[in-house]
Amino acid sequence: MTSKIRIFDSKVMNIIQVEILNEQGLKLLKQLEKLNILRLIRPERKKVLPKRSWAGSISKETAEKMLQEVEQSRNECDRTI
């Protein structure tokens, strides 16, 4: 299956996405860029936030129980001061 790209207005710059299949394709595109036929645009890399590997590792019930114990220990510390 082949795909065709048609440009109807030569005054308008069109941006297309191309999948490069091998090194020869990349070399060819770079040559076309040198001839001012096209311009290669590198995509902006989005910042990837680190994954929270610990997220969801305890159940909701366990988390609530832990929070209650923390609150209880805080209250006990306040009493001794």
Side-chain angles (χ1 to χ4, degrees):
M1 182 172 151
T2 61
S3 60
K4 296 180 181 178
I5 301 170
R6 295 181 182 163
I7 301 174
F8 298 105
D9 187 357
S10 62
K11 296 178 184 179
V12 177
M13 299 283 194
N14 290 314
I15 297 175
I16 62 169
Q17 185 173 353
V18 176
E19 180 181 2
I20 301 171
L21 301 178
N22 56 40
E23 286 295 319
Q24 292 173 342
L26 181 60
K27 286 180 184 179
L28 180 60
L29 287 173
K30 287 181 179 181
Q31 290 173 356
L32 292 172
E33 185 177 36
K34 284 181 182 178
L35 294 171
N36 291 323
I37 294 174
L38 57 80
R39 181 170 52 121
L40 298 176
I41 302 170
R42 305 281 186 251
E44 292 183 21
R45 296 184 183 238
K46 296 180 182 178
K47 292 183 181 179
V48 178
L49 299 176
K51 291 184 178 180
R52 295 176 19 190
S53 59
W54 46 268
S57 60
I58 60 174
S59 67
K60 188 174 182 178
E61 294 82 19
T62 304
E64 289 174 359
K65 192 180 228 183
M66 290 173 70
L67 285 174
Q68 289 174 357
E69 290 177 11
V70 168
E71 284 299 319
Q72 182 181 353
S73 66
R74 286 181 182 161
N75 291 335
E76 291 172 0
C77 288
D78 289 342
R79 289 183 194 161
T80 59
I81 296 178

